[in-house]
Amino acid sequence: LPARLLLDVNRRRTFIAIIEAPARDWFDMIHQAARVRLRRANFIAVEKKSGDASHVFQDTSLRAAMEVGQSIVLIVMDADAQASPSILACADYRFRVHHPTNAQITATLRAVYGNARIGKLPPAIGATAPASALLAAIRPSEYAGRAVARLRALDQRLSTSSNPAEGPSLAELTGYGEAKKW
């Protein structure tokens, strides 16, 4: 969370925040984490493309929260497409949560396992692995080496499953005429 937002939370100031999740599989965890950290806020979570009915609900929730001095947090995938124009216009904070970097995953491993030696992680595991799979790989009852091994195996499974099936080469396809000969 931005430092200024944390300051507002600690000082119990009223704020309006928009949090954008990096991908659908991170949405629920970000929502849950925000609820823990920003307890006193009123939460609106919009997972799908929103229309007029959603915007009316958001605006009604915004007015109700402001009337009683309560903060409001909107959690979306894409604020421009999902947030009501009113919330977009008056938001004090708008930020996107990004996929975790390897440095963040390493820091998480150290936080869970202590200052254990952390092996090399796959380069883009935070951006490619589903959120729940990343969490499942880090099991507090075990040790760091097993977690790193699971992350490597997860990366291997993801890379093999995402490779397209073997098919004909471009030269074997028909219909390109002179371009094919070239």
Side-chain angles (χ1 to χ4, degrees), residues 147-166:
V148 171
R150 269 195 291 281
L151 289 169
R152 286 183 189 144
L154 173 62
D155 182 63
Q156 184 64 37
R157 284 190 295 274
L158 290 171
S159 64
T160 20
S161 68
S162 65
N163 287 341
E166 292 297 319

Side-chain angles (χ1 to χ4, degrees), residues 5-19:
L5 175 56
L6 292 175
L7 188 62
D8 282 350
V9 169
N10 290 336
R11 291 183 177 167
R12 296 180 186 224
R13 291 183 179 156
T14 302
F15 60 86
I16 299 164
I18 300 172
I19 303 173

Side-chain angles (χ1 to χ4, degrees), residues 105-121:
I105 295 171
T106 298
T108 301
L109 291 167
R110 285 206 170 97
V112 171
Y113 301 111
N115 278 337
R117 184 174 170 270
I118 307 297
K120 186 175 179 183
L121 297 173

Side-chain angles (χ1 to χ4, degrees), residues 18-21 46 50 55 58 74-85 87-88 94-96:
I18 300 172
I19 303 173
E20 294 178 278
V46 181
S50 63
H55 289 178
Q58 291 174 39
L74 177 68
I75 302 173
V76 294
M77 297 292 299
D78 177 6
D80 293 325
Q82 296 172 302
S84 79
I87 290 181
L88 279 172
R94 178 180 173 180
F95 58 95
R96 173 168 291 285

Side-chain angles (χ1 to χ4, degrees), residues 52-180:
D52 290 340
S54 176
H55 289 178
V56 168
F57 173 76
Q58 291 174 39
D59 291 346
T60 303
S61 299
L62 176 64
R63 284 191 306 274
M66 294 301 107
E67 285 173 4
V68 296
Q70 188 177 27
S71 296
I72 194 160
V73 177
L74 177 68
I75 302 173
V76 294
M77 297 292 299
D78 177 6
D80 293 325
Q82 296 172 302
S84 79
S86 299
I87 290 181
L88 279 172
C90 65
D92 300 303
Y93 302 97
R94 178 180 173 180
F95 58 95
R96 173 168 291 285
V97 176
H98 297 282
H99 287 281
T101 64
N102 277 14
Q104 291 168 325
I105 295 171
T106 298
T108 301
L109 291 167
R110 285 206 170 97
V112 171
Y113 301 111
N115 278 337
R117 184 174 170 270
I118 307 297
K120 186 175 179 183
L121 297 173
I125 190 69
T128 58
S132 54
L134 280 175
L135 289 177
I138 302 170
R139 301 175 190 169
S141 61
E142 295 181 359
Y143 59 95
R146 296 231 2 183
V148 171
R150 269 195 291 281
L151 289 169
R152 286 183 189 144
L154 173 62
D155 182 63
Q156 184 64 37
R157 284 190 295 274
L158 290 171
S159 64
T160 20
S161 68
S162 65
N163 287 341
E166 292 297 319
S169 68
L170 184 60
E172 296 169 331
L173 296 176
T174 60
Y176 284 96
E178 294 299 315
K180 182 178 176 181

